[in-house]
Amino acid sequence: MVSCPRTSKRRSVSAFLSQVFGGRKDMDSFKKELEEELKLNTEDIRSHAWYHGELHREDAEGLLERDGDFLIRDSRTCSRDYVLT
């Protein structure tokens, strides 16, 4: 049996976010966005992590890393429509 050192989730999540977002300022900005998103009604499409709003197709495709990844974005050609990428 391998024993793992005890670390708090909070510290490891903070370390992960710092690594991903490159610094405290970016991490704070991400936290604020996430907090605002969590305040939204779940029936509001903006409250879902898979919704990305206005995003060019090329940028959307760049976010998809694995088979099965997807996102929903606003259509640029048909106002008030959505696109599944």
Side-chain angles (χ1 to χ4, degrees), residues 6-55:
R6 297 186 93 180
T7 58
S8 75
K9 282 187 176 183
R10 181 178 211 160
R11 190 173 344 144
S12 52
V13 168
S14 293
F16 171 75
L17 291 175
S18 290
Q19 182 180 8
V20 169
F21 293 102
R24 184 87 181 151
K25 184 177 180 183
D26 291 336
M27 187 172 65
D28 290 342
S29 173
F30 176 72
K31 280 177 61 177
K32 281 184 180 179
E33 283 182 39
L34 184 58
E35 288 168 356
E36 290 302 314
E37 183 178 307
L38 292 172
K39 290 178 188 175
L40 296 173
N41 181 330
T42 58
E43 292 181 16
D44 185 339
I45 192 168
R46 295 174 301 152
S47 71
H48 299 283
W50 41 256
Y51 175 70
H52 286 260
E54 294 182 22
L55 189 64

Side-chain angles (χ1 to χ4, degrees), residues 51 53-54 73-83:
Y51 175 70
E54 294 182 22
R73 60 187 175 85
D74 294 337
S75 173
R76 297 183 59 82
T77 56
C78 298
S79 178
R80 302 177 80 194
D81 282 349
Y82 303 104
V83 177

